[in-house]
Amino acid sequence: MCSKSSGFKISPETKRKLTPYFYIAPVIILLLFMYGYPLIKSIWMSFMDYKLTRLNKSSWNNFQNYTKMFMDDNFWLLLKNSLIYVIVSVAGQFLLGLGLAMALNKKFKGRGLYQSIVFLPWAFSSFVVGLLFRWSFNGEYGVVNDLLKKAGLITKGISWLGTPGLSLMVIIFAMIWVGIPFFGIMILAALQSVPDEVYEAADMDGCGKVRRFFLLTLPYIKPTIIMTVLLRFIWIFNSFDLVIIVTGGGPANYSQTLPSYIYTQAFSSYDFGLAGAFGVLLIFILTIYAVIFLTLTKYDKAGDF
Amino acid sequence: MGIGRALALLFYLLLVILPVYWMIITSFKTSNEIVNTQRITYWPENFTFEHYQQLFKTMHYGIYLRNSLIVAVSVAIVVTLLSIYGGYALARFQFRGKGAALVFFLITQMIPAILVIIPMYIVFSRVKLVDTLTSLFLFYSITNLPFCVITMRSFFERIPYALEEAAYVDGCSRTQTLWKIVLPVMFPGIVADFVFAFIGAWNELIAAVIFLNSQQRWTIPVGLKSLIGKYNVDWGSMMAGGCLALLPTAIMFVFVQKYIVEGLTAGAVKG
């Protein structure tokens, strides 16, 4: 059914060796160019006095952006918020996603329809999710306060978005909600890849359900768990649209994270040098995280699912 | 089915349905009913389409919809095509630099969007690409590419190699085999990747806000964001706009989610 194509005479051996490079070259070139240039430019800017308002007068400024960053009154608050935000969100998504995948792993009537509903938040933009949570947790007209009152848990409405501590929690709720399907789908696929024979052997050995999970299932889906947690941690750490939409960082920066702060700073003062310094810090933190995480989990196949 | 598992399934169902329900009914309430602090209603007392009408009349929602569609469809097509070749190379070949390529993909994920957006904005403003849909097309293509290549690779790895070997025996070239033999079996994976990229482009807000100035070019998220005033938010229109923004991606996802699970499951395709 296939015809031999004529044309250049290259030895089959060379051709076989070059094929993968031809296939992957467009992706690599595009990414190198489009990520590489901005990245180098950002790092360069972070060492310069670089403001959009006077682009032509940018000059080396002796690490002033970095000094300014660490001396920022909000620095430690931002770092703390960012870590709480990413750790609680990833942990919540992962545990709830794992639970969902395990509940879905056995066939039941209507599973297809059920799956298409519970996986739906994957299709939601964090923008819409942010609005929805901001609306539901509204202190005056919010449905959450109303439900809590009806349940007799509170008598007066809580100002969720105006209270330090609580406002960050609402952002985390929203983040967990939108991320459960990602873990659910990935882990479900991994669970369904476990061959039946593995379980049959375990049943013959009289293995209990809990032991079976920790001894058989978990090692089998470990690569998926490592990759999804790694990726999700990086994505969430860098994401800030929910912060911007739900609270705008308020009250008084109590729900501000490092990336959302960069965004607000960069586009209010147009000080791109300072923004660059913050960005370099984020990459630094994530690199340390990735190296530690991959070492601790003894995982050497980065990029595998 | 055990009672514990049934309760868990019910919990997850309510977790998704309740917020979505709240969004939908809010969009059909009158503005007065929405901001009535005395009594919060769980079903619209006066059912109205006013928010939807307002979106199309005063907000040019139709234009945003068109812009979003143009960007999302073109991003999805390009990303899917590139991912097919990139993913195939990673799944089927052993070559020097493969490990480095995978690490490189991981590194791209660590770069904060803002570090890419600012320099890109400066370049785009020099080459007159600011305030065009092309700028968004370029940005969304690269942000969605790494994840799509990696998942495409996983999809390919789930397909038995024996399928291709038979084609080589018949004298097919690599590219011919890829298109005639492998891709038809890969259909679920391709659809899944297309939807990943489409959703990624459709939902993005920050870059769109920065790159686009004139209202004629706005995408749906930018248009909706403009409804957030300094002191108050028009909740009725917001929720209506949210529902309209969700409709295309939600419908796609309902059909596609089973393909994603299928494509990622080992042994789903028999050789």
Side-chain angles (χ1 to χ4, degrees):
Chain A
M1 62 190 283
C2 298
S3 58
K4 291 255 188 202
S5 59
S6 57
F8 292 115
K9 291 273 179 271
I10 310 171
S11 79
E13 178 65 13
T14 327
K15 204 174 168 190
R16 203 176 51 82
K17 271 194 180 153
L18 285 177
T19 314
Y21 295 104
F22 281 127
Y23 283 179
I24 205 167
V27 175
I28 300 285
I29 291 170
L30 194 64
L31 291 179
L32 264 182
F33 189 67
M34 301 283 281
Y35 274 109
Y37 171 76
L39 182 63
I40 292 166
K41 176 93 179 174
S42 293
I43 295 172
W44 180 79
M45 285 194 305
S46 75
F47 294 106
M48 304 298 256
D49 185 20
Y50 198 99
K51 295 200 172 67
L52 188 68
T53 41
R54 39 188 183 84
L55 274 181
N56 297 324
K57 289 185 189 159
S58 52
S59 59
W60 167 262
N61 76 347
N62 230 347
F63 302 108
Q64 259 182 43
N65 293 324
Y66 288 90
T67 333
K68 207 169 156 191
M69 171 173 79
F70 287 114
M71 301 301 277
D72 194 313
D73 291 339
N74 296 309
F75 183 79
W76 297 105
L77 177 68
L78 297 176
L79 189 64
K80 191 184 95 184
N81 287 345
S82 303
L83 291 177
I84 294 175
Y85 166 64
V86 69
I87 291 170
V88 178
S89 301
V90 173
Q93 290 183 351
F94 167 67
L95 291 175
L96 286 169
L98 178 68
L100 177 59
M102 301 213 348
L104 281 170
N105 195 26
K106 271 195 209 127
K107 278 206 171 75
F108 58 87
K109 221 179 151 190
R111 186 172 72 168
L113 179 68
Y114 180 87
Q115 267 183 208
S116 45
I117 296 172
V118 290
F119 287 152
L120 208 54
W122 186 327
F124 282 40
S125 70
S126 39
F127 175 67
V128 173
V129 174
L131 282 177
L132 181 53
F133 274 71
R134 178 168 162 184
W135 169 229
S136 303
F137 282 88
N138 186 299
E140 289 169 275
Y141 332 109
V143 66
V144 174
N145 272 344
D146 196 56
L147 286 173
L148 289 174
K149 273 187 213 159
K150 286 207 164 82
L153 292 170
I154 54 169
T155 48
K156 226 170 118 270
I158 299 172
S159 168
W160 293 94
L161 303 176
T163 312
L166 289 185
S167 59
L168 184 61
M169 224 171 75
V170 175
I171 297 172
I172 292 174
F173 280 155
M175 185 38 102
I176 292 177
W177 189 81
V178 79
I180 295 172
F182 177 79
F183 280 108
I185 287 182
M186 294 296 177
I187 296 174
L188 177 62
L191 284 174
Q192 297 193 343
S193 306
V194 182
D196 291 336
E197 298 88 51
V198 175
Y199 287 132
E200 281 159 17
D203 286 341
M204 282 205 294
D205 292 345
C207 208
K209 264 192 177 160
V210 178
R211 279 192 58 198
R212 197 175 84 166
F213 175 74
F214 282 102
L215 290 178
L216 290 173
T217 316
L218 208 54
Y220 217 94
I221 62 174
K222 193 179 150 197
T224 306
I225 292 178
I226 292 172
M227 270 328 286
T228 45
V229 170
L230 177 74
L231 261 186
R232 204 71 198 175
F233 188 102
I234 293 171
W235 287 346
I236 295 179
F237 189 76
N238 275 335
S239 79
F240 58 92
D241 33 10
L242 276 179
V243 179
I244 303 282
I245 302 295
V246 179
T247 65
N253 284 330
Y254 273 100
S255 63
Q256 195 85 269
T257 61
L258 285 166
S260 68
Y261 190 69
I262 303 176
Y263 172 76
T264 346
Q265 287 295 304
F267 289 95
S268 62
S269 65
Y270 291 101
D271 187 345
F272 289 171
L274 183 63
F278 270 106
V280 171
L281 175 78
L282 291 188
I283 297 178
F284 184 70
I285 294 174
L286 284 175
T287 310
I288 292 178
Y289 159 76
V291 170
I292 292 177
F293 184 76
L294 290 175
T295 314
L296 283 182
T297 51
K298 300 192 181 66
Y299 198 69
D300 53 356
K301 285 185 286 180
D304 262 317
F305 276 105
Chain B
M1 192 189 298
I3 190 92
R5 187 148 158 267
L7 282 175
L9 290 171
L10 183 68
F11 165 76
Y12 285 108
L13 191 65
L14 292 178
L15 192 65
V16 173
I17 285 184
L18 292 181
V20 176
Y21 170 78
W22 192 242
M23 180 165 78
I24 295 172
I25 62 150
T26 302
S27 75
F28 289 117
K29 287 180 183 176
T30 59
S31 294
N32 284 334
E33 196 177 333
I34 290 172
V35 292
N36 183 347
T37 43
Q38 301 307 309
R39 212 165 61 82
I40 287 171
T41 50
Y42 288 81
W43 184 255
E45 275 174 342
N46 301 299
F47 201 82
T48 174
F49 282 103
E50 67 179 31
H51 304 299
Y52 289 92
Q53 283 164 346
Q54 207 207 336
L55 281 177
F56 280 97
K57 240 192 277 165
T58 61
M59 255 192 68
H60 316 294
Y61 200 84
I63 296 174
Y64 311 153
L65 192 74
R66 192 201 66 191
N67 292 340
S68 277
L69 268 178
I70 293 174
V71 173
V73 169
S74 44
V75 167
I77 291 173
V78 169
V79 166
T80 308
L81 275 175
L82 291 175
S83 303
I84 287 174
Y85 283 102
Y88 186 73
L90 290 171
R92 284 289 188 258
F93 293 90
Q94 290 303 326
F95 57 93
R96 277 179 78 111
K98 183 170 159 181
L102 289 170
V103 173
F104 172 61
F105 288 144
L106 190 63
I107 291 172
T108 60
Q109 301 302 293
M110 293 189 199
I111 302 170
I114 204 80
L115 280 203
V116 182
I117 292 175
I118 293 175
M120 260 193 193
Y121 182 85
I122 297 172
V123 174
F124 284 165
S125 58
R126 284 198 189 126
V127 295
K128 301 268 186 300
L129 272 182
V130 166
D131 204 21
T132 63
L133 294 181
T134 315
S135 64
L136 283 191
F137 165 76
L138 287 170
F139 181 75
Y140 296 158
S141 295
I142 62 148
T143 48
N144 288 295
L145 198 49
F147 179 72
C148 285
V149 174
I150 294 297
T151 43
M152 195 64 97
R153 174 201 181 200
S154 307
F155 292 143
F156 275 120
E157 279 174 345
R158 305 294 192 262
I159 292 172
Y161 188 60
L163 217 59
E164 285 161 64
E165 276 176 333
Y168 298 136
V169 173
D170 287 349
C172 293
S173 75
R174 275 278 174 192
T175 313
Q176 285 169 330
T177 313
L178 181 58
W179 283 94
K180 289 188 180 166
I181 312 289
V182 186
L183 290 187
V185 191
M186 277 276 292
F187 181 71
I190 293 168
V191 175
D193 249 23
F194 184 91
V195 171
F196 288 156
F198 184 94
I199 291 177
W202 183 267
N203 287 340
E204 206 276 345
L205 166 71
I206 305 290
V209 167
I210 295 171
F211 288 155
L212 306 175
N213 307 319
S214 49
Q215 213 173 346
Q216 288 296 312
R217 306 267 191 294
W218 283 0
T219 53
I220 293 175
V222 188
L224 283 182
K225 189 169 184 286
S226 72
L227 288 178
I228 305 182
K230 225 177 167 63
Y231 302 104
N232 55 17
V233 180
D234 181 354
W235 286 113
S237 302
M238 273 292 182
M239 294 299 121
C243 289
L244 287 181
L246 278 179
L247 213 55
T249 48
I251 292 172
M252 282 174 115
F253 207 74
V254 164
F255 288 104
V256 167
Q257 52 84 17
K258 71 171 194 282
Y259 289 149
I260 306 173
V261 180
E262 225 173 74
L264 286 169
T265 303
V269 183
K270 299 281 181 254

